[in-house]
Amino acid sequence: QVAAASGHTVVLVDQSDEILRKSTKGIEESLKRVTKKKFADKPEAGAEFIEKTLKNITTSTDAVTVVHSTDLVIEAIVENQEIKNELFKRLDKFAPEHTIFASNTSSLQITQLANSTTRQDRFGGLHFFNPVPMMKLVEVIKTPMTSQKTFESLMDFSKAVGKSPVSCKDTPGFIVNRLLVPYMMEAVRLFERGDASKEDIDVAMKLGAGYPMGPFELLDYVGLDTSKYIIDGWHSLEPNNPLFAPSRLLNKLVEEKKLGKKTGEGFYKY
């Protein structure tokens, strides 16, 4: 959406036409919300903006056929190393020499993904934040193999879609999640020890630190399964790091399929 709205030609690829129809509808709804604010007193200009943006988007279920004419591939599929590697390996065979590959992963190593291709110098991380149309931040990740030219192209692209890029080395969680995930886990440990209630911890962080959500609200919003997946992955990389220690309570909730907002219950009921 943000790429198309800033004048880029976009091909959106997913597994089925049904998913793509849903996605296109979602983008259209999102654009309507954006234009309500952006073109509050000019409804015609707003309608024109939506039409123009949607014209920049086509869809496909076959990544291999569309990658032939692509300058930048941004992968945002399931957070699974093997599945991502498989996709990049396949696209690497068919993409032109100059094409840059980027992953929107939040927890996997970019270097490991780049190693599944023959274009390690044209591979980096582009980590967007949810909801992407609203959030200004993009983390641009440079691996030891990413060329300076590729890195600058990714920084330029981030600015061209209206974002404020920050740069980080290929370290677990990059900047935001590297600080945020241990903070959320520490909140769980505080609650597990019985030092404070989860409600009081949430109120304290909202009113004391100015955070829009408390750590338990945020965990439920992110998804407890996603949070567990991230911390388990980091724990296996650095088993002696106390910040990455797993939590019995988090594991128990995930086992009980209480995954947060999306299942109606996590730390809180919805």
Side-chain angles (χ1 to χ4, degrees):
Q1 181 187 321
V2 295
S6 52
H8 298 82
T9 308
V10 177
V11 186
L12 175 62
V13 180
D14 215 315
Q15 290 177 317
S16 72
D17 288 321
E18 193 192 342
I19 296 172
L20 288 166
R21 270 196 296 277
K22 263 193 192 152
S23 305
T24 310
K25 191 147 183 40
I27 288 173
E28 202 172 335
E29 295 303 316
S30 176
L31 284 167
K32 280 178 187 161
R33 287 195 294 274
V34 171
T35 49
K36 258 196 186 130
K37 278 186 191 162
K38 203 172 166 184
F39 301 97
D41 43 2
K42 296 183 215 152
E44 295 88 10
E48 196 183 321
F49 170 72
I50 292 174
E51 192 190 343
K52 213 165 149 186
T53 301
L54 290 172
K55 263 196 186 140
N56 285 336
I57 302 174
T58 51
T59 60
S60 170
T61 52
D62 184 5
V64 162
T65 54
V66 297
V67 82
H68 288 292
S69 53
T70 305
D71 298 313
L72 172 64
V73 172
I74 302 177
E75 166 276 318
I77 65 171
V78 62
E79 280 286 84
N80 178 305
Q81 182 89 47
E82 281 161 32
I83 299 173
K84 286 186 194 284
N85 281 352
E86 200 45 55
L87 176 70
F88 280 126
K89 205 182 207 159
R90 205 165 82 238
L91 295 184
D92 188 43
K93 292 189 180 94
F94 297 96
E97 184 113 338
H98 74 277
T99 307
I100 293 173
F101 284 6
S103 176
N104 180 52
T105 181
S106 58
S107 66
L108 298 172
Q109 280 191 307
I110 302 295
T111 306
Q112 300 266 324
L113 298 172
N115 283 340
S116 66
T117 72
T118 56
R119 61 184 75 222
Q120 286 101 327
D121 58 325
R122 285 149 290 156
F123 203 115
L126 273 184
H127 183 221
F128 289 81
F129 286 78
N130 264 329
V132 179
M134 312 305 294
M135 300 286 274
K136 293 292 282 181
L137 186 67
V138 177
E139 291 176 325
V140 180
I141 314 307
K142 189 177 197 260
T143 78
M145 295 100 72
T146 309
S147 74
Q148 188 58 24
K149 188 181 171 202
T150 297
F151 172 69
E152 281 164 17
S153 298
L154 292 172
M155 291 291 279
D156 289 345
F157 172 75
S158 304
K159 289 174 193 160
V161 298
K163 301 298 173 199
S164 303
V166 294
S167 155
C168 183
K169 285 182 180 170
D170 190 16
T171 177
F174 314 135
I175 297 173
V176 174
N177 282 334
R178 179 62 180 76
L179 297 174
L180 201 56
V181 174
Y183 147 75
M184 294 193 294
M185 294 301 290
E186 199 51 32
V188 176
R189 291 182 196 113
L190 190 66
F191 172 58
E192 277 180 309
R193 289 195 300 269
D195 294 340
S197 72
K198 52 184 188 282
E199 291 80 5
D200 282 356
I201 295 170
D202 277 354
V203 168
M205 291 314 291
K206 285 192 282 194
L207 301 186
Y211 286 11
M213 277 184 218
F216 292 97
E217 290 172 302
L218 187 55
L219 279 159
D220 278 354
Y221 177 77
V222 168
L224 304 193
D225 51 341
T226 307
S227 307
K228 173 179 157 49
Y229 177 82
I230 293 170
I231 208 73
D232 287 352
W234 294 358
H235 180 62
S236 66
L237 282 177
E238 295 182 30
N240 299 324
N241 189 333
L243 290 175
F244 299 163
S247 145
R248 272 170 59 191
L249 176 59
L250 182 65
N251 291 348
K252 181 173 171 283
L253 288 168
V254 172
E255 220 168 276
E256 292 167 359
K257 299 275 186 287
K258 293 173 181 168
L259 308 180
K261 232 171 167 172
K262 60 187 170 191
T263 58
E265 188 179 350
F267 284 103
Y268 296 115
K269 282 197 166 111
Y270 298 89

